[in-house]
Amino acid sequence: MRNDLAQQGFSLFFLSLWVLFIEMGMAQNTTIPVNVGVVLDFDTSFGKMGLSCIPMALSDFYASHGNYKTRLVLKTRDSRRDVVGAAAAALDLIQNEEVQAIIGPGSSMQANFLIVLGQKAQVPIISFSASSPSLSSLTSQYFIRATLNDSAQVPAIIAIFQAFEWREAVLIYVDNEYGDGIIPYMTDALQGIDVRVTYRSVISPSATDDQIGEELYKLMTMQTRVFIVHMVTPLGSRFFTKADEIGMMEEGYVWILTDGLTDLLSTLDPLVIDSMQGVLGIKPHVPRTKELENFRVRWKRKFQQDHPKDETSELNIFGLWAYDAASALAMAVEKVGATNLSFQKTNISSNSTDLDTIGVSQIGPKLLQSLLSTKFKGLSGDFQIFDGQLHPTAFQIVNVIGKGERGIGFWTPKNGIIRRLKFTNANSNTYSTSKDNLGAIVWPGEPTYFPKGWVLPVNEKKLKIGVPVKDGFSEFVKVTWDPNTNATKVTGYCIDVFDAVMGSLPYAVPYEYIPFGTPDGKPAGNYNDLIYQVFLKKYDAVVGDTTIVANRSNYVDFTLPYTESGVSMIVPIKDNKSKRAWIFLKPLTWGLWVTSACFFVFIGFVIWVLEHRINEDFRGPPSHQAGTIFWFSFSTMVFAQKERIVSNLARFVMIIWFFVVLILTQSYTASLTSMLTVQQLQPTVTDIKELRAKGEYVGYQQGSFVLGFLKRMNFDESKFRIYNSSEKLAELLSKGSANGGIAAAFDEIPYMKLFIAQHCSKYTMVQPTYKYDGFGFAFPRGSPLVQDVSRAVLNVTEGDEMVKIEKEWFGKKTSCSDDNGSSISSNNISLDSFWGLFLIAGVTSSLALIIGIAMFLHKHRVGVMGEDSVSTKIKTLATRFDQKDLSSHTFRIPDQPYSGSTEPMAAVGASPSVTNCSPRPSTFSNQTIKDISLSGEQGTFSSEHVVVRAQPHLVGNHRQ
């Protein structure tokens, strides 16, 4: 009995636990369904891929997140490859299914209406394939682009153009929303690197093969050979099949695919791949992971099970974006929760349409914010929405070779073109566009070099080169006609240079010269008219002595110049003998003459002040002292001074002054010698202002741009005279302005040098030279030849070929030595060249003067302290300054020790030995015996207040 009761108790206990576990499991398995719409084209491979990837994403997501309470329930609708069908499907999902988000549609054309619909209902529209940049202009916050904007690949394509230095491009794109969206971005980016878009080829999605072929034939007649193709299959497949058929996949062509077609290369027919050999493509880089490879295998198996009748398809990046978009939406819904999944209905009137009855999602704003903040690592890489769309991390550059594609490099926003991503330094900020970072490329036609990007149009055999017809200066360009055959022959320096340049190009360019003249052999216009013919496409280029100027560059592109640049003035040489008598004044400017004279006087005065009290050479009557000042100072100019200098301060001043005088005299001598030597080369006019002020006539070459230059220099147009040859120019210059000629001519340096070489003894060039760019070859704007020809110009001008050409045309024309034709620019020596020397001399002499005066005042301060008035003090100081400083060693008796006394009077005992000594010349030479009065045994030099004790025999000697 007890056993039965115990057994029943245990049974009831286990039954209760079993019921409890079942209830807990049911509670845990309770999930909240959230309706999500999917709008795709069911009958396309693209739609089928999306319809298989999205459920697989949700299955994988909830398998790894079984504890999540929300579950996305997919409500699929077929958009039927139609914009209206996509709009109707989305409207049905929002109204009838009350979906909280819509994944899709598949194309950019279908997305326009859905974006507006999502904004109105506050339902996020998540597209993994609508990549057109034009959709961004709708500015709807409820549009989430879970794919890359087409404009994101533009910088990668630009980097390829920079790597190979192509200068022209043709854009080929499909005529729909997808094709049009990228074109403005691509065009602006190409123009930003000076690449000209020569043509835009717009192809309808429904174009027939014949229509595609007609467009391709048009492209074949153009010179541009770089094509950017922006379209998707099946149009892209038919396009390249036709291009290969008509011969546009041969050597010289360059084809670059955007990601719309590059991402689908793996799905194309092998015959289409064969027709695309050598094509380059850009596509987003997807890092390889184990999860991705596992998913590929599972997806391919599931796709074959769901679509057994379809051909085997390959998973592409759009399928990966669909997978990641579904995963991101599941994460966002779980974050928001399912608290209120209803739609708020609007008031409906009798006249309302279906659009007016659309409700507003209550969790739409929260779901949008949750989507924007969702971040994870998906199958396609890092998934995070910035500004409503994914942002690129890297693009892979591929080359179609053999049966498929081969990666040749990568492009990243930070590093540009790189060979391998794994070797990229994360800290490197170097942006590269070097083609050396790319792998080996097989171009169409398999050439051994990369295509230059353009060729001569097949419908034109030769370039038409316009050349000027002119009467003079035939050394540059000369056109001659054969009257028998009516054939023209073009020769000259410019022609030989152009032939050498074109011959150095790495490819052959056929061309012919066509003179720009009338049937009777006269010029058909000026040089501007000739240049304008290139703009009108009558000529393919202009070759001749055409100068590169700004206004002409508005119509053509010039190559680099091949001659010296600049406009100069040429004038007759004069030999002005009437002014040679005063030529010695010309080496120095008047300012320097005056400054030098003032300093000579000043230095003389300083020396006189320092030497007057201690040196007999600087003493005497006032007139004698004034003369000494001028004589001494100016005699230093030739170092002919006779006066001795005994003061150390004066000696210091003279050392500096001798240095200044030496430099000044040497410079004067050199300048005067130069003037005397080149006096015969002095021009009649040295300044353009002088010509204008005097109203002189000036000349310019016929048809030259120099006419505009003279007008800008404010010359009177009535003072212009024209010449067309060097002979005419020489005639005008020889006559002079007053006799029907000209005072000066303005022309470019090449003409001037040629003229001077022929008439160097009569004329010369005068500076300044006005800057211009020299002679250049003119081509149509944007011509790809300009860059190659400019490089060839550099090669020719830097080599021996240019020397030979110049020697052939100009070497035999000269009749003078090289230096006779040099331009004149003679300047006098001005104070600017010597102000430093004068500053040193002035400072040192002033300092010595101040020190000398200070020493004098200090020495005699006691003698003037007792004076009352200032005038008396000054008078006393002046009197004492005029007296000899007998304490100086220069006035002591020979062999008498120097007392060093500062007193004005001194008693000195004379020894008998004095009788054997003769007086010092500097001391007694100017004294007479009458200046001495004797008294007994004492003699007194009363005039200088010096008492000298003398022996009787000394007096006797004097009396004798």
Side-chain angles (χ1 to χ4, degrees):
M1 184 69 179
R2 291 180 178 177
N3 292 335
D4 292 338
L5 291 173
Q7 187 176 1
Q8 291 178 359
F10 278 114
S11 298
L12 289 173
F13 175 73
F14 284 113
L15 179 62
S16 300
L17 289 176
W18 181 73
V19 172
L20 180 62
F21 285 142
I22 290 177
E23 290 178 353
M24 292 177 64
M26 291 179 63
Q28 290 178 354
N29 292 331
T30 301
T31 57
I32 303 172
V34 179
N35 291 339
V36 173
V38 178
V39 179
L40 293 171
D41 299 327
F42 286 2
D43 60 344
T44 63
S45 59
F46 184 84
K48 293 175 182 179
M49 181 183 298
L51 291 173
S52 61
C53 289
I54 293 173
M56 290 183 69
L58 297 181
S59 176
D60 293 344
F61 180 80
Y62 291 121
S64 58
H65 301 86
N67 59 333
Y68 279 15
K69 295 181 179 181
T70 58
R71 293 292 186 273
L72 299 187
V73 179
L74 299 178
K75 304 294 182 178
T76 59
R77 294 291 188 274
D78 187 5
S79 55
R80 304 177 186 277
R81 298 190 183 186
D82 185 42
V83 174
V84 177
L91 188 62
D92 175 61
L93 288 171
I94 293 176
Q95 283 185 323
N96 300 325
E97 300 292 346
E98 293 189 347
V99 295
Q100 302 300 325
I102 295 178
I103 300 178
S107 68
S108 298
M109 292 75 70
Q110 297 171 341
N112 275 322
F113 183 76
L114 266 69
I115 293 174
V116 177
L117 198 62
Q119 180 73 22
K120 184 176 181 62
Q122 295 186 1
V123 172
I125 306 298
I126 308 169
S127 177
F128 58 87
S129 56
S131 56
S132 174
S134 62
L135 298 178
S136 303
S137 62
L138 298 175
T139 63
S140 172
Q141 58 180 338
Y142 284 90
F143 175 57
I144 305 297
R145 198 198 304 265
T147 180
L148 294 180
N149 191 323
D150 279 340
S151 62
Q153 63 189 308
V154 171
I157 296 176
I158 295 302
I160 295 177
F161 269 80
Q162 291 175 311
F164 294 99
E165 299 181 353
W166 294 316
R167 312 312 304 170
E168 291 184 350
V170 171
L171 303 182
I172 306 173
Y173 55 97
V174 61
D175 188 14
N176 57 24
E177 186 82 20
Y178 169 77
D180 294 339
I182 194 176
I183 298 305
Y185 298 89
M186 186 71 74
T187 303
D188 291 344
L190 289 171
Q191 291 177 348
I193 59 171
D194 295 329
V195 174
R196 189 166 68 100
V197 178
T198 58
Y199 185 70
R200 297 182 184 183
S201 177
V202 185
I203 300 179
S204 171
S206 58
T208 63
D209 288 351
D210 291 339
Q211 291 173 330
I212 294 174
E214 182 180 351
E215 184 67 16
L216 287 172
Y217 277 116
K218 185 188 298 184
L219 298 177
M220 183 182 288
T221 62
M222 300 177 182
Q223 66 180 11
T224 306
R225 287 294 181 263
V226 182
F227 305 100
I228 302 175
V229 182
H230 182 62
M231 58 181 66
V232 294
T233 57
L235 180 61
S237 301
R238 295 191 294 117
F239 178 86
F240 277 100
T241 300
K242 195 67 178 178
D244 184 42
E245 179 183 324
I246 68 174
M248 293 186 69
M249 300 303 295
E250 301 297 331
E251 181 177 335
Y253 287 89
V254 178
W255 298 90
I256 302 176
L257 307 180
T258 61
D259 63 349
L261 198 53
T262 308
D263 284 322
L264 304 177
L265 286 175
S266 60
T267 65
L268 299 181
D269 187 272
L271 294 177
V272 177
I273 294 295
D274 287 341
S275 67
M276 299 176 67
Q277 295 297 303
V279 171
L280 296 181
I282 301 292
K283 68 177 184 178
H285 170 64
V286 178
R288 290 187 176 183
T289 60
K290 293 182 179 180
E291 293 80 4
L292 176 59
E293 297 303 321
N294 178 266
F295 177 75
R296 287 185 185 275
V297 175
R298 292 190 295 115
W299 176 86
K300 193 169 186 178
R301 183 167 57 247
K302 184 179 186 307
F303 189 85
Q304 290 176 350
Q305 292 174 356
D306 295 342
H307 309 281
K309 295 182 180 181
D310 290 356
E311 295 182 1
T312 302
S313 181
E314 293 292 335
L315 180 67
N316 56 46
I317 194 170
F318 293 104
L320 302 182
W321 279 331
Y323 184 98
D324 290 344
S327 302
L329 182 58
M331 291 183 187
V333 168
E334 182 64 25
K335 291 179 183 178
V336 174
T339 54
N340 188 1
L341 300 178
S342 61
F343 276 66
Q344 182 180 355
K345 301 297 182 180
T346 58
N347 295 327
I348 303 174
S349 63
S350 58
N351 297 327
S352 299
T353 62
D354 289 342
L355 292 177
D356 296 328
T357 63
I358 294 177
V360 177
S361 174
Q362 297 301 296
I363 68 168
K366 294 182 180 179
L367 180 58
L368 174 63
Q369 296 302 320
S370 180
L371 273 169
L372 295 177
S373 62
T374 299
K375 180 181 179 181
F376 66 97
K377 191 171 186 62
L379 293 180
S380 62
D382 294 331
F383 185 96
Q384 187 175 9
I385 302 298
F386 294 95
D387 299 327
Q389 60 189 4
L390 290 180
H391 278 237
T393 56
F395 282 95
Q396 186 178 17
I397 306 173
V398 300
N399 186 202
V400 179
I401 303 174
K403 297 182 179 180
E405 63 186 56
R406 185 187 69 183
I408 58 173
F410 296 89
W411 177 89
T412 65
K414 184 177 181 180
N415 300 108
I417 296 177
I418 52 178
R419 185 68 183 93
R420 294 180 177 85
L421 282 176
K422 62 181 179 180
F423 292 139
T424 302
N425 186 356
N427 297 323
S428 175
N429 294 321
T430 302
Y431 186 89
S432 173
T433 57
S434 173
K435 63 179 179 291
D436 296 333
N437 293 340
L438 295 173
I441 300 176
V442 176
W443 302 99
E446 299 186 12
T448 57
Y449 54 89
F450 71 87
K452 62 179 180 293
W454 66 274
V455 294
L456 293 175
V458 298
N459 60 344
E460 294 185 11
K461 298 300 181 182
K462 294 182 178 181
L463 291 180
K464 294 182 293 184
I465 309 296
V467 294
V469 176
K470 52 193 304 183
D471 296 330
F473 294 101
S474 58
E475 292 84 359
F476 293 96
V477 178
K478 183 179 182 181
V479 179
T480 55
W481 278 268
D482 188 340
N484 298 325
T485 61
N486 200 26
T488 59
K489 182 180 180 181
V490 183
T491 58
Y493 167 76
C494 300
I495 303 302
D496 283 0
V497 172
F498 184 74
D499 290 340
V501 167
M502 300 304 288
S504 65
L505 292 175
Y507 47 84
V509 179
Y511 57 90
E512 60 180 345
Y513 295 113
I514 300 178
F516 181 58
T518 60
D520 58 350
K522 299 296 183 181
N526 57 28
Y527 281 79
N528 289 336
D529 299 330
L530 175 58
I531 293 294
Y532 194 64
Q533 302 306 306
V534 178
F535 180 77
L536 297 177
K537 298 184 179 180
K538 293 184 179 180
Y539 295 141
D540 296 310
V542 167
V543 172
D545 47 349
T546 51
T547 304
I548 304 171
V549 292
N551 64 325
R552 294 174 181 173
S553 64
N554 295 327
Y555 304 97
V556 296
D557 284 345
F558 284 99
T559 64
L560 292 176
Y562 58 90
T563 63
E564 290 184 74
S565 61
V567 171
S568 186
M569 179 172 66
I570 191 167
V571 297
I573 292 173
K574 67 177 180 178
D575 189 5
N576 196 348
K577 298 181 179 180
S578 61
K579 294 185 179 181
R580 281 202 176 183
W582 301 100
I583 194 173
F584 68 91
L585 294 176
K586 291 186 177 181
L588 307 183
T589 61
W590 281 111
L592 185 54
W593 276 118
V594 173
T595 303
S596 301
C598 291
F599 261 86
F600 274 110
V601 175
F602 176 68
I603 294 298
F605 173 74
V606 172
I607 298 301
W608 175 81
V609 171
L610 297 176
E611 294 286 320
H612 176 66
R613 302 186 69 246
I614 62 175
N615 192 340
E616 284 289 347
D617 292 343
F618 291 88
R619 298 188 60 80
S623 59
H624 174 76
Q625 296 183 47
T628 301
I629 291 175
F630 286 95
W631 160 255
F632 176 81
S633 60
F634 284 99
S635 64
T636 59
M637 185 163 50
V638 291
F639 306 100
Q641 71 282 356
K642 297 181 179 180
E643 292 77 11
R644 292 190 311 115
I645 302 299
V646 297
S647 169
N648 287 332
L649 287 175
R651 289 172 177 173
F652 175 69
V653 171
M654 290 307 298
I655 291 174
I656 301 299
W657 182 241
F658 283 149
F659 179 69
V660 174
V661 170
L662 177 64
I663 295 179
L664 188 63
T665 54
Q666 293 297 322
S667 301
Y668 173 85
T669 304
S671 180
L672 180 61
T673 303
S674 176
M675 286 185 174
L676 292 174
T677 303
V678 299
Q679 182 66 18
Q680 69 275 15
L681 296 180
Q682 290 301 312
T684 56
V685 180
T686 59
D687 192 354
I688 194 172
K689 296 179 181 178
E690 182 181 350
L691 290 172
R692 288 199 303 259
K694 293 182 178 180
E696 302 281 8
Y697 283 88
V698 295
Y700 68 92
Q701 189 178 168
Q702 183 179 10
S704 173
F705 73 96
V706 176
L707 172 61
F709 163 78
L710 293 175
K711 292 179 179 179
R712 290 193 299 273
M713 299 300 291
N714 299 320
F715 277 97
D716 185 359
E717 295 186 34
S718 63
K719 301 295 182 179
F720 294 162
R721 288 194 171 123
I722 303 173
Y723 59 87
N724 55 14
S725 65
S726 59
E727 292 78 11
K728 182 65 175 178
L729 174 58
E731 179 185 348
L732 290 174
L733 287 172
S734 61
K735 288 182 177 180
S737 180
N739 301 315
I742 57 177
F746 290 86
D747 215 330
E748 296 170 81
I749 288 180
Y751 300 113
M752 295 292 94
K753 284 196 169 184
L754 177 61
F755 182 78
I756 291 298
Q758 298 170 347
H759 306 88
C760 61
S761 61
K762 297 180 180 180
Y763 310 103
T764 186
M765 283 192 296
V766 178
Q767 292 186 358
T769 298
Y770 298 90
K771 181 67 176 178
Y772 281 90
D773 285 337
F775 295 164
F777 306 125
F779 289 88
R781 295 198 66 181
S783 172
L785 268 174
V786 174
Q787 189 174 16
D788 291 344
V789 173
S790 293
R791 289 197 186 97
V793 166
L794 291 178
N795 293 331
V796 171
T797 54
E798 293 174 359
D800 296 334
E801 185 70 18
M802 196 69 173
V803 177
K804 295 178 182 178
I805 296 174
E806 290 179 349
K807 186 175 181 180
E808 178 181 354
W809 289 101
F810 306 133
K812 300 177 182 179
K813 304 296 180 180
T814 180
S815 59
C816 322
S817 59
D818 294 337
D819 54 352
N820 285 344
S822 59
S823 61
I824 299 299
S825 178
S826 179
N827 296 319
N828 299 341
I829 302 175
S830 65
L831 183 60
D832 295 336
S833 304
F834 292 95
W835 71 266
L837 284 174
F838 284 118
L839 177 63
I840 295 173
V843 171
T844 54
S845 58
S846 299
L847 185 62
L849 180 63
I850 293 172
I851 293 174
I853 294 176
M855 292 174 61
F856 170 75
L857 293 176
H858 177 74
K859 183 176 182 179
H860 297 279
R861 67 186 186 280
V862 179
V864 298
M865 290 182 62
E867 305 293 342
D868 295 333
S869 63
V870 176
S871 60
T872 305
K873 292 181 179 180
I874 294 176
K875 200 174 290 185
T876 302
L877 287 174
T879 301
R880 295 201 174 185
F881 179 76
D882 190 49
Q883 296 172 354
K884 291 182 179 179
D885 185 4
L886 297 180
S887 63
S888 173
H889 67 281
T890 58
F891 292 119
R892 68 184 178 89
I893 298 174
D895 300 327
Q896 183 67 28
Y898 177 58
S899 66
S901 173
T902 61
E903 294 299 325
M905 300 182 67
V908 182
S911 65
S913 61
V914 175
T915 57
N916 298 325
C917 299
S918 61
R920 293 182 60 184
S922 62
T923 306
F924 296 103
S925 59
N926 295 327
Q927 275 188 297
T928 60
I929 199 68
K930 64 181 179 180
D931 294 326
I932 304 175
S933 60
L934 302 176
S935 176
E937 294 182 353
Q938 297 179 348
T940 304
F941 295 87
S942 59
S943 61
E944 299 296 338
H945 304 285
V946 178
V947 179
V948 180
R949 294 186 180 274
Q951 297 298 329
H953 63 267
L954 178 62
V955 177
N957 289 339
H958 277 286
R959 287 178 179 178
Q960 294 174 1

